[in-house]
Amino acid sequence: MSSQRIGLRQADALQRLALEGPNEIGPAQGRSWLRRCMCLLAEPIFVLLLAAVAIYLVLGDWGEGLTLAVFVLAVLGLTLLQEGRADRSIEALRQLSEHRVQVLRDGQLQEWPAREIVRGDWVLLAEGRRIAADGLLLEADHLQVDESLLTGESEPVTKQVQASGKAARVFFGTHVVRGQGLMEVQATGERTEFGRIGQSLGQIRPQPTPLQTQTARLVRVLAWVALLLCAAMVLIEGLRTGSWLPALLVGIAAVMAMLPEEYPVVLTIFPALGAHRLAREGVLVRRIEAIETLGATTVLCADKTGTITQNRMAVQMMAVGDQPELLRCDASGDWPPQALAPAFHQIAEHAILASLIEPFDPMEQAFHRLGRTMLPESRLHDWQLVHSYPLSSGLRAMSQVWRAGDGQAHVVSAKGAPEAVMDLCHMPSAQRAQWQGVLEQMAAEGLRVLAVARSEHPDAPWPQSAHDFNFEWIGLIGLADPLRPQVPQAMAQCRRAGVRVIMITGDHPATARVIAAQAGMAVGQVLCGDELDGLSELELGARLRSTSVCARISPQQKLRIVQTLAGLGEIVTMTGDGVNDAPALRAAHVGVAMGQRGTDVAREAASVVLVDDDFGSIVRGIRTGRRIYSNLHKSMGYIFAVHLPIAGMAALPVVLALPPLLLPLHIALIELIVDPACSLAFEGEPEEADLMDRPPRDTRSALLDAGAMARASVQGLLLLGGIALAYGASLQTWAAEGPVPAEHTRAMVLMAFVAGNVALVMVSKAGEVSVPAWPRSGPGNWAAVAVMASALAAVALAIYQPALASALQLRALDTLSAATALICGPAGLILGLMAGRRVSRPWLC
């Protein structure tokens, strides 16, 4: 990059950003407070509450109407608070995973979010990065760009600044697949070519996840049941009393009692807050819906390099000569005196010449470090690179042509997979067998082995293929990449959790087998890329059922592996970091990109980004995904169970020709109790001890299967039984004094409900146990205690504060009545669970 370039001044850049707006296309509009209010008020529960307010006012019951309006605002505020918490978590994640670029401003190289670059900025382009705006190319170093997003052409386009000084154009959304460059931004955001084509993208809405679809189906069924119940209640009450507006209030109370409107809330809150927790552990979730799938992973396809190993490549061994001579460095990285021999100098030189001048790949960086050690006086980079033959699926080797000096032949250097370089050298079978033995010896030590070759060529025109050069074999280089220390423990966790790990690598099978064994994997038979190409889909599926190591695999073959596994019914999580990994990452149920060495292309195709590129982080993600789903399942069961006694309290008095027990304002009060319980009390619940000792969940099964619904139904009915005890106790209290005041009965029932709800929350949190689980240590359990204590305090305030009691049509309870209600509420649930335990029916709980 020219030292004379200074870029925009920071002050000018900020002024243009304010004037022209951020560099983004169809930005996701954050929901404003007012917009969220309008969306919530359109929900059925709020429509019903507002209808009840209107009916009270029409009837002239201003006190009840205004009281209910206050409760409507309280429920609305609580829901907004919880949704806002989820939105803030999602926004924080978006900022963490934001695309960033290197910009030259005030003569200094700075890193800025891509959305903040402006027209006139000078932006560096690098291999594997997405181009963040439309611009003119100022400098280019063997720059190749994938423009298929705009043109549909799959082949990358070479970009260069012409001798006349005319600059080539580069475009927003395209990707650098090779080389580097410097561009001046000409257009940003919707003014770019891609922006003009894709302005309708902002109108596209994400599709619901399977979990959301299942929940919506359940809510629709319950909504129809609630509407039928409402119609029945209105008819019964209206025909009996002849007063249809009060009867309509009874019907509204019944439908409000049945509707589980908390389901959409917890479906939003649990994944968002879970993703926020994962971010603190170095796992960024770019698509929140991936949370529900990550915990269900059955097969984890993991790259070896950088995920299972540390991706800290260092040259450990070299082999050269007609009778191969092996040379190994010592533990400190120093080479013995033999490394001064010309043959070893030659292999180091040509390994560097076959690499990028400023390498992106860790292997090429290792070759450059080797050169600084062995070739301190080298003038290789005084040469001029004139042509390149990149690595491809057809030839796993790359070659570069250099002009060494005036009047001299051009030097051609190649490096790549030993088999590919042997083909370039047209190596005879006897020599090939000799070197194959050396290769196996090096690979057996877990080294990644590459071959190096050289050639000469007089001048352009250059051959169409590197095969047309007359290459001369030089030798082999072995690179070590140590295993990450956390990998064996993480592999053991995967085995216990029923998650099968398949290691995928481009390395030699012997190298892959050694690393897999060090990682603690059951290696078995290795599937190689050449063999994979010869298998049919059925044959490949059969092989993958028992394969844990795939070697010599190209990025295109990764996609086929993922698609085949998905076709077998597996839930596939796939890791990747390169441009060519994007299709496989997109095809997997959960694509995981590397945050440190991963390209922008891979990160944008993935659902999850690992900040530290660590295999252990993926396992932590699976663990967190399972915990989130487990807590979500508990919360869903609780919601289903708690609505049964609420519906019973609303409907049974009408069916039995008794005065209505719960009116809409009482349902609103109960919602203030249930809403925090179903989210705050369950979302932070710590994981069970055996969470990673269970097989993955079946994503095709219903969220609440028949067993779970039966268990929740029994729990809800037991709670209703306890409330009925409190109702009977209220009747008994007034038996000698005449008619029972409805206000007293209602107060006892509400007190019993809240007390019983404490037991129901604890039972639901504990899972399949026979007695309520009182809080263990952990923020989730103490949150549950706080929620339950607040609920009891709120109901006590409503009963004993005269103004509130009058507005809510309640009556202060004497000590005996209050104690009776607190005992009766949980009594039915606890006695029923103990009886279920005695008759060996654990499904009751």
Side-chain angles (χ1 to χ4, degrees), residues 92 278 344 428 477 568 572 697 802:
L278 276 176
F344 289 108
I477 292 184
L568 295 174
V572 185
R697 68 179 176 90

Side-chain angles (χ1 to χ4, degrees), residues 64-76:
E64 288 82 354
L66 293 176
T67 302
L68 181 55
V70 170
F71 279 117
V72 171
L73 292 175
V75 174
L76 182 65

Side-chain angles (χ1 to χ4, degrees), residues 440-454:
E440 296 286 349
Q441 180 181 347
M442 296 172 72
E445 298 189 26
L447 300 179
R448 182 167 189 177
V449 185
L450 296 182
V452 181
R454 68 174 301 278

Side-chain angles (χ1 to χ4, degrees), residues 417-451:
E419 300 88 343
V421 177
M422 288 176 184
D423 288 340
L424 285 177
C425 296
H426 308 291
M427 184 177 285
S429 56
Q431 188 182 7
R432 185 185 292 258
Q434 182 184 31
W435 279 101
Q436 189 66 36
V438 179
L439 169 62
E440 296 286 349
Q441 180 181 347
M442 296 172 72
E445 298 189 26
L447 300 179
R448 182 167 189 177
V449 185
L450 296 182

Side-chain angles (χ1 to χ4, degrees), residues 108 353 372 378 530 562 636 654 768 799 836:
Q108 300 291 323
L353 290 171
R372 287 192 290 272
S378 174
D530 292 340
V562 168
M636 294 289 193
V654 179
E768 297 185 9
I799 292 174

Side-chain angles (χ1 to χ4, degrees), residues 716-774:
L717 292 174
L718 289 173
L719 178 53
L720 181 59
I723 295 169
L725 287 176
Y727 187 94
S730 176
L731 297 180
Q732 186 64 32
T733 300
W734 288 84
E737 301 183 23
V740 183
E743 294 81 0
H744 182 275
T745 303
R746 189 175 291 128
M748 284 196 70
V749 164
L750 281 175
M751 184 72 80
F753 170 79
V754 174
N757 189 53
V758 173
L760 180 61
V761 168
M762 294 307 168
V763 169
S764 300
K765 281 164 59 67
E768 297 185 9
V769 296
S770 58
V771 293
W774 196 248

Side-chain angles (χ1 to χ4, degrees), residues 370-641:
L370 176 68
R372 287 192 290 272
T373 301
M374 296 183 62
L375 312 168
E377 304 299 326
S378 174
R379 297 177 58 82
L380 292 180
H381 289 308
D382 291 340
W383 296 0
Q384 181 182 359
L385 181 61
V386 294
H387 196 69
S388 296
Y389 297 88
L391 189 78
S392 68
S393 58
L395 179 62
R396 293 198 295 268
M398 65 177 293
S399 306
Q400 300 201 130
V401 183
W402 297 82
R403 180 181 291 117
D406 293 337
Q408 299 182 24
H410 292 78
V411 174
V412 186
S413 302
K415 73 172 186 342
E419 300 88 343
V421 177
M422 288 176 184
D423 288 340
L424 285 177
C425 296
H426 308 291
M427 184 177 285
S429 56
Q431 188 182 7
R432 185 185 292 258
Q434 182 184 31
W435 279 101
Q436 189 66 36
V438 179
L439 169 62
E440 296 286 349
Q441 180 181 347
M442 296 172 72
E445 298 189 26
L447 300 179
R448 182 167 189 177
V449 185
L450 296 182
V452 181
R454 68 174 301 278
S455 181
E456 292 185 355
H457 194 77
D459 209 339
W462 313 114
Q464 290 293 318
S465 169
H467 277 287
D468 297 325
F469 290 110
N470 185 23
F471 277 108
E472 173 190 343
W473 176 271
I474 299 177
L476 299 174
I477 292 184
L479 300 100
D481 187 9
L483 198 72
R484 288 186 180 271
Q486 307 92 335
V487 165
Q489 180 182 1
M491 287 287 183
Q493 288 180 340
C494 285
R495 281 196 303 274
R496 293 199 309 272
V499 178
R500 188 159 62 91
V501 180
I502 298 179
M503 187 178 80
I504 300 178
T505 179
D507 285 352
H508 190 276
T511 303
R513 189 178 286 111
V514 171
I515 297 298
Q518 292 175 356
M521 299 175 63
V523 180
Q525 192 174 4
V526 177
L527 175 63
C528 294
D530 292 340
E531 181 186 1
L532 185 151
D533 286 336
L535 297 176
S536 67
E537 292 305 312
L538 288 176
E539 292 170 336
L540 178 58
R543 283 294 303 275
L544 288 175
R545 290 182 189 277
S546 58
T547 297
S548 57
V549 178
C550 298
R552 288 290 189 242
I553 299 297
S554 68
Q556 292 78 12
Q557 290 170 331
K558 288 183 182 180
L559 174 60
R560 190 180 173 201
I561 290 172
V562 168
Q563 291 173 331
T564 301
L565 288 168
L568 295 174
E570 304 285 1
I571 302 300
V572 185
T573 293
M574 172 77 194
T575 71
D577 59 0
V579 174
N580 292 328
D581 290 334
L585 292 173
R586 183 71 73 183
H589 293 91
V590 180
V592 179
M594 303 298 109
Q596 293 180 349
R597 63 189 172 90
T599 62
D600 287 342
V601 189
R603 284 196 287 267
E604 288 170 14
S607 306
V608 174
V609 177
L610 299 185
V611 173
D612 56 5
D613 294 8
D614 187 2
F615 180 82
S617 296
I618 306 176
V619 180
R620 289 197 300 274
I622 293 174
R623 176 188 294 274
T624 301
R626 288 190 174 194
R627 183 186 66 81
I628 290 170
Y629 181 81
S630 175
N631 291 347
L632 187 63
H633 189 269
K634 292 175 184 177
S635 179
M636 294 289 193
Y638 162 76
I639 293 169
F640 188 87

Side-chain angles (χ1 to χ4, degrees), residues 259-282:
L259 275 180
E261 74 285 346
E262 299 88 358
Y263 280 157
V265 176
V266 298
L267 278 176
T268 301
I269 292 174
F270 279 49
L273 297 184
H276 196 67
R277 285 193 177 89
L278 276 176
R280 294 200 295 267
E281 298 181 12

